[in-house]
Amino acid sequence: MRAGVLLCALSLLASCASPGSASRASLMSIVPGQSREDVIAFLGQPGDRTFRGSAEALTYCRSGLMSTDDYSTIWLVNNRVVSLTTMSRGYGTLNCTQFPEIDWGQAPPDVRIAIENSN
């Protein structure tokens, strides 16, 4: 009986996940050097994707506590992870439905160098 209740609860949680959502634990397992393919195989398709030259930003979101959305951007250069950044913002009516525009000026140094070198 308990196993059935647990299975039902897990099914409900999984059905509530929105595209581009990723758990904090999953995000924290991403490491520099991982391939883009490995990231997507592990986290699923990102909620937003943008690129410039050999640099790419994959953004995932999860609804946090206290009416916030937590956005995590995985920065890649030449299809390899170089950094992960996070930000939170109050969602009001957004609730992981509207991803923030990527600010390439705030990209980690490795990503900015890749962009400069690709011009």
Side-chain angles (χ1 to χ4, degrees):
M1 170 97 171
R2 286 184 186 171
V5 171
L6 180 61
L7 182 60
C8 183
L10 290 173
S11 297
L12 286 173
L13 285 173
S15 67
C16 292
S18 59
S21 66
S23 73
R24 180 170 171 75
S26 296
L27 287 163
M28 293 302 107
S29 67
I30 300 300
V31 296
Q34 262 184 306
S35 72
R36 178 186 189 282
E37 293 76 21
D38 287 344
V39 170
I40 292 176
F42 187 66
L43 298 177
Q45 290 297 321
D48 192 30
R49 172 184 175 254
T50 188
F51 59 90
R52 287 192 178 176
S54 62
E56 184 174 18
L58 307 178
T59 305
Y60 293 86
C61 179
R62 70 180 179 92
S63 290
L65 301 173
M66 307 300 286
S67 300
T68 61
D69 284 341
D70 298 322
Y71 295 92
S72 297
T73 300
I74 298 171
W75 302 90
L76 302 109
V77 173
N78 296 320
N79 292 317
R80 295 286 173 188
V81 173
V82 293
S83 185
L84 183 145
T85 57
T86 60
M87 68 173 275
S88 295
R89 75 176 191 193
Y91 62 75
T93 60
L94 299 177
N95 200 11
C96 286
T97 59
Q98 189 176 39
F99 283 72
E101 185 175 336
I102 293 296
D103 181 354
W104 289 95
Q106 298 297 314
D110 288 350
V111 176
R112 289 196 304 267
I113 291 169
I115 293 169
E116 290 169 4
N117 290 338
S118 67
N119 289 334

